[in-house]
């Protein structure tokens, strides 16, 4: 007859594990001797070893009981079911690992893969990380507002990057977007933006954008607060009769024919 310590040693588990198996009902508690100690027999050793073998194989403790008491056919079906569940869990964990790996890149947090690919393309154009962060935060908000449209919107943004003017525009954002009044880049950026806006108007691409007015105002304020140079560019465009940043709200008719 064995004490609990001897039982644990024979089965290769801890005394704490034996007590836990008692608590959850996997290992029946034996009677006690005159000194009050539990006394175990060989059957307890065999059952405990089987419990440990199932647990080591990855069988959840909640399923161990049914397998311990199952016949050969039922045992086979039970292990197949558990194997299926484990394979599903493995796929889930692998997907989680892939998501974590993407999150390590920073901008993948709360962003679809299509947006991350677009930001990578901007990096390839030499756009600085500070501006990339501004774009990333804007796209996070946009993706949350119109998740069903984001892939098509990004596809359109890729098409825009084929425009030399758009590439030229991004070439001004290799450093921090903290331009001050008098910086010659401000006029150049305003000129490029106006040409792009005129093309968008003529192509009929300035209609409904799917955003409410409050969201548009939020996007505008975020850009203006994060990039002081943006306010200076916007002031120039306003002098020329344009109104709006995220959404063009007023189009000066006399400007439409001043650019080709």
């Amino acid at each position: 007859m064995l004490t609990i310590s001897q039982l644990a040693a024979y089965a290769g588990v801890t005394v704490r594990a034996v007590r836990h198996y008692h608590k959850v009902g996997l290992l029946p508690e034996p009677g006690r001797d005159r000194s009050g100690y539990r006394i175990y027999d060989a059957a307890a050793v065999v059952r405990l070893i089987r419990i440990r073998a199932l647990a080591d194989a990855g069988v959840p403790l909640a399923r161990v009981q049914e397998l311990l008491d199952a016949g050969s056919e039922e045992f086979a079906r039970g292990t197949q079911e558990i194997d299926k569940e484990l394979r599903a869990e493995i796929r889930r964990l692998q997907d989680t690992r892939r998501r974590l790996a993407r999150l390590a890149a920073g901008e993948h947090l709360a962003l679809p893969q299509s947006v991350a690919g677009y930001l990578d393309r901007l990096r390839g154009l030499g756009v600085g990380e500070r501006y990339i962060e501004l774009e990333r935060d804007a796209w996070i908000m946009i993706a949350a507002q119109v998740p069903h449209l984001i892939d098509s919107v990004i596809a359109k943004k890729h098409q825009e990057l084929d425009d030399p003017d758009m590439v030229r525009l991004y070439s001004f954002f290799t450093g921090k977007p903290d331009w001050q009044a008098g910086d010659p880049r401000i006029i150049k950026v305003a000129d490029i933006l106006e040409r792009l806006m005129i093309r968008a108007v003529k192509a009929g691409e300035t209609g409904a954008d799917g955003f409410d007015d409050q969201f548009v105002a939020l996007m505008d304020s975020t850009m203006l607060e994060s990039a002081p140079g943006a306010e200076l560019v916007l002031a120039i465009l306003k002098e020329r009769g344009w109104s709006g940043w995220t959404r063009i709200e007023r189009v000066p008719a006399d400007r439409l024919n001043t650019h080709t």
Side-chain angles (χ1 to χ4, degrees):
M1 306 301 283
L2 305 171
T3 64
I4 191 170
S5 296
Q6 292 170 324
L7 171 69
Y10 273 115
V13 300
T14 64
V15 170
R16 183 178 181 180
V18 174
R19 291 195 175 110
H20 180 68
Y21 295 149
H22 284 325
K23 183 178 180 180
V24 297
L26 290 178
L27 184 66
E29 293 189 45
R32 298 176 181 269
D33 62 13
R34 294 178 181 179
S35 300
Y37 294 104
R38 293 189 181 95
I39 298 299
Y40 299 87
D41 56 16
V45 176
V46 172
R47 186 173 181 87
L48 184 55
I49 290 173
R50 294 181 66 201
I51 292 172
R52 189 201 69 189
L54 289 168
D56 288 349
V59 176
L61 288 183
R63 304 290 300 274
V64 167
Q65 181 72 56
E66 65 182 83
L67 294 183
L68 283 173
D69 301 330
S72 58
E73 292 185 3
E74 187 180 356
F75 184 90
R77 285 195 301 271
T79 54
Q80 289 173 359
E81 290 177 3
I82 293 170
D83 179 65
K84 182 179 179 180
E85 293 169 1
L86 289 174
R87 282 187 278 115
E89 179 67 8
I90 288 170
R91 287 193 295 272
R92 186 190 69 78
L93 291 173
Q94 289 173 334
D95 182 62
T96 298
R97 290 192 66 206
R98 286 191 291 269
R99 289 173 180 269
L100 288 172
R102 291 197 296 270
L103 289 179
E107 70 270 6
H108 293 270
L109 180 62
L111 276 182
Q113 182 59 41
S114 59
V115 178
Y118 173 70
L119 295 179
D120 284 340
R121 185 172 177 185
L122 293 186
R123 287 191 178 92
L125 294 175
V127 176
E129 283 301 318
R130 177 60 184 133
Y131 187 81
I132 292 289
E133 290 176 4
L134 296 179
E135 285 251 353
R136 178 201 65 200
D137 291 348
W139 285 114
I140 286 175
M141 292 188 287
I142 293 172
Q145 288 292 309
V146 288
H148 58 294
L149 298 177
I150 193 65
D151 286 344
S152 61
V153 171
I154 288 296
K156 180 66 169 59
K157 295 296 291 185
H158 277 291
Q159 292 177 3
E160 292 175 357
L161 285 180
D162 294 331
D163 186 327
D165 258 343
M166 186 64 75
V167 174
R168 193 174 297 113
L169 176 64
Y170 275 115
S171 72
F172 288 100
F173 300 106
T174 56
K176 295 181 179 180
D178 54 359
W179 307 334
Q180 301 300 316
D183 191 314
R185 292 175 294 183
I186 294 173
I187 294 292
K188 293 178 180 178
V189 167
D191 288 343
I192 294 173
L193 278 173
E194 184 172 29
R195 288 200 298 271
L196 293 171
M197 293 162 76
I198 289 173
R199 289 174 201 166
V201 170
K202 290 181 176 180
E205 298 172 349
T206 58
D209 48 29
F211 306 133
D212 58 39
D213 292 343
Q214 185 176 10
F215 181 75
V216 170
L218 175 63
M219 292 287 289
D220 286 353
S221 64
T222 299
M223 176 57 72
L224 293 174
E225 291 170 3
S226 302
E231 188 169 1
L232 298 172
V233 171
L234 197 59
I236 293 173
L237 292 173
K238 187 174 182 180
E239 289 177 358
R240 298 177 182 180
W242 297 90
S243 176
W245 183 266
T246 302
R247 174 195 293 155
I248 299 176
E249 297 178 338
R250 188 174 75 250
V251 180
D254 61 317
R255 301 291 297 183
L256 294 182
N257 297 318
T258 61
H259 295 75
T260 58

